[in-house]
Amino acid sequence: MKIVTILGARPQFIKASVVSYALVNAGIEEIIIHTGQHFDSLMSDIFFQDLDLPQPHYHLNIHSLNHGAMTGRMMEQIESLLLQQELPDWICVYGDTNSTLAGALVAAKLHIPLAHIEAGLRSFNRQMPEEVNRVVTDHLAQLLFAPTPLAVECLQKEGIFSGVHLVGDVMMDAIITYQVKAQQTSNILAKYQLHPEEFYLATIHRPSNTDNQHRLSAILESFNKLDYPVVFPIHPRTAAQIRTTGLNHYLEQQSIIAIPPVSYLDMLMLESACKAVVTDSGGIQKEAYILGRPCFTMRDETEWKETVDVGWNHLVQPETLNDAIANFTIPKEAPKLYGSGDAADQIAKLLLA
Ligand code: UDP
């Protein structure tokens, strides 16, 4: 069996690393196409170096374009690559980026079965580019690997029943796979002289937070009011927005430890040791939960609603962050929400079947 996997963005490299490993173990041939959506070494190469992810067979180098141009060019090149070779049995895509959408549309046009990993997620906010990508991809997929019962429910509400499998979350697999390696090899805590529970970890990159100068400055200002310093690995898009809108002075405050994006292994160490996470990332909300850290999500809604329902994740605004942290009490329970860490094996078995 042959599978073509389309990847392009940081979280997809992390998710694919555990699935690729499971595919090899199941005897499946995998061809990886990297669209280039995330391209610099700290957003891409570092994950291929640190994790069990084979180098891509093809690199399309498509990035830094508006949504239409980016998705269109990706489609054109993916289609032409696939037509040059024997068509695969499946195309596999992850999550909700433009690379996901491009892969899904090409699969549909070429009548190649499509598998969607992390299917059924919904924020119900169509202003988010990711939400549109998720909805379209789910409606084109023949195999939908849902991470949670809520994701299955969302698919069913949209009339999608066939091909849906609740397998758990591959990010749970990734944490289990890489946690020990992170403890053995990462020196990030020593490098920045960080002590457990004496710093916050923040990441911000969603357009709703970065593309409005007032909002972005309010977020940076809110970090300033916290009781411990904030380690802030800055996404390149956020860094560019901070630069172009003249907000650089916030990064010079003592309260913010601004650092470049870190490797996944370093990230696991930061997430495990911090007092709490402040983020607008999808993946980091889940990782905080799995690692037992409180999370404060700088958004109006989240597609990982179960973390909010169990009390470990709170939706906040810049103005409410401080109070939310001060009033937070650790919930008594942390039920298993994301499976047992065997999602990748289940996915490989289901693809073979
Ligand atoms: N991540 C990382 N280094 C960083 C920031 C994030 O390795 O500097 C990892 C993080 O641990 C998670 C994933 O990247 O596994 C989340 O990616 P991101 O926040 O970019 O995307 P989202 O999950 O919001 O789609």
Side-chain angles (χ1 to χ4, degrees):
M1 168 177 281
K2 180 165 145 185
I3 289 180
V4 166
T5 297
I6 319 271
L7 303 173
R10 172 167 68 186
Q12 295 170 335
F13 309 138
I14 296 163
K15 292 167 197 165
S17 74
V18 284
V19 177
S20 285
Y21 189 77
L23 295 181
V24 171
N25 280 344
I28 298 172
E29 182 192 0
E30 185 189 33
I31 306 290
I32 297 179
I33 302 179
H34 185 329
T35 61
Q37 187 171 345
H38 282 172
F39 55 95
D40 74 33
S41 67
L42 294 180
M43 295 297 285
S44 173
D45 303 354
I46 194 167
F47 299 98
F48 289 86
Q49 284 154 22
D50 278 1
L51 311 180
D52 295 320
L53 183 61
Q55 287 299 323
H57 298 77
Y58 301 96
H59 202 303
L60 308 184
N61 216 9
I62 300 168
H63 53 80
S64 314
L65 296 163
N66 288 336
H67 288 284
M70 190 192 289
T71 312
R73 281 185 210 173
M74 286 174 183
M75 281 183 69
E76 191 177 15
Q77 292 202 32
I78 295 168
E79 182 184 64
S80 112
L81 265 178
L82 292 175
L83 289 175
Q84 280 161 28
Q85 15 173 318
E86 192 192 335
L87 293 182
D89 300 292
W90 286 93
I91 287 186
C92 193
V93 294
Y94 290 81
D96 53 25
T97 67
N98 289 339
S99 306
T100 316
L101 178 65
L105 288 168
V106 173
K109 300 284 179 189
L110 296 182
H111 309 298
I112 302 170
L114 174 70
H116 186 203
I117 297 176
E118 210 177 66
L121 272 296
R122 295 292 181 268
S123 67
F124 302 102
N125 174 1
R126 292 261 173 119
Q127 296 293 312
M128 285 179 79
E130 295 90 345
E131 183 77 353
V132 178
N133 296 343
R134 291 179 192 125
V135 172
V136 175
T137 303
D138 283 337
H139 282 263
L140 295 176
Q142 282 71 41
L143 261 181
L144 300 96
F145 298 117
T148 61
L150 184 60
V152 174
E153 213 179 285
C154 288
L155 292 169
Q156 289 174 346
K157 282 190 183 146
E158 292 174 20
I160 305 175
F161 292 88
S162 165
V164 177
H165 298 272
L166 176 61
V167 293
D169 197 309
V170 291
M171 292 192 103
M172 176 82 184
D173 299 28
I175 291 180
I176 292 172
T177 305
Y178 295 112
Q179 209 169 16
V180 172
K181 187 174 178 188
Q183 283 157 1
Q184 287 168 348
T185 61
S186 167
N187 70 349
I188 189 99
L189 300 179
K191 182 173 175 186
Y192 293 104
Q193 298 175 335
L194 300 169
H195 300 289
E197 308 236 0
E198 291 185 6
F199 68 95
Y200 293 98
L201 172 66
T203 75
I204 294 291
H205 72 282
R206 296 251 101 80
S208 56
N209 281 329
T210 58
D211 293 4
N212 174 318
Q213 186 194 5
H214 294 297
R215 173 83 180 176
L216 187 54
S217 71
I219 290 171
L220 297 174
E221 187 62 49
S222 73
F223 294 170
N224 200 19
K225 299 194 183 116
L226 297 179
D227 51 345
Y228 284 108
V230 177
V231 176
F232 184 30
I234 310 186
H235 190 287
R237 258 206 20 211
T238 311
Q241 287 294 112
I242 289 175
R243 251 194 329 270
T244 53
T245 53
L247 298 177
N248 258 340
H249 58 278
Y250 282 110
L251 306 186
E252 281 142 30
Q253 292 170 160
Q254 287 237 308
S255 54
I256 297 185
I257 304 171
I259 61 176
V262 296
S263 73
Y264 179 60
L265 301 178
D266 285 345
M267 195 63 185
L268 286 179
M269 294 310 290
L270 291 171
E271 287 171 324
S272 306
C274 66
K275 186 169 159 67
V277 168
V278 182
T279 193
D280 60 8
S281 157
I284 292 171
Q285 293 175 59
K286 277 181 290 174
E287 287 171 346
Y289 180 74
I290 295 167
L291 294 166
R293 306 320 302 151
C295 184
F296 299 88
T297 299
M298 196 64 81
R299 282 177 50 189
D300 294 338
E301 74 289 299
T302 175
E303 50 288 335
W304 301 105
K305 192 173 160 291
E306 55 284 328
T307 55
V308 175
D309 293 343
V310 295
W312 283 87
N313 187 6
H314 287 254
L315 298 176
V316 292
Q317 301 299 325
E319 304 74 34
T320 60
L321 174 65
N322 215 318
D323 282 351
I325 289 182
N327 296 327
F328 178 82
T329 45
I330 298 234
K332 287 198 184 69
E333 289 180 10
K336 216 182 222 185
L337 298 178
Y338 296 112
S340 312
D342 63 350
D345 283 336
Q346 290 191 54
I347 288 169
K349 283 198 191 106
L350 286 160
L351 281 164
L352 264 183

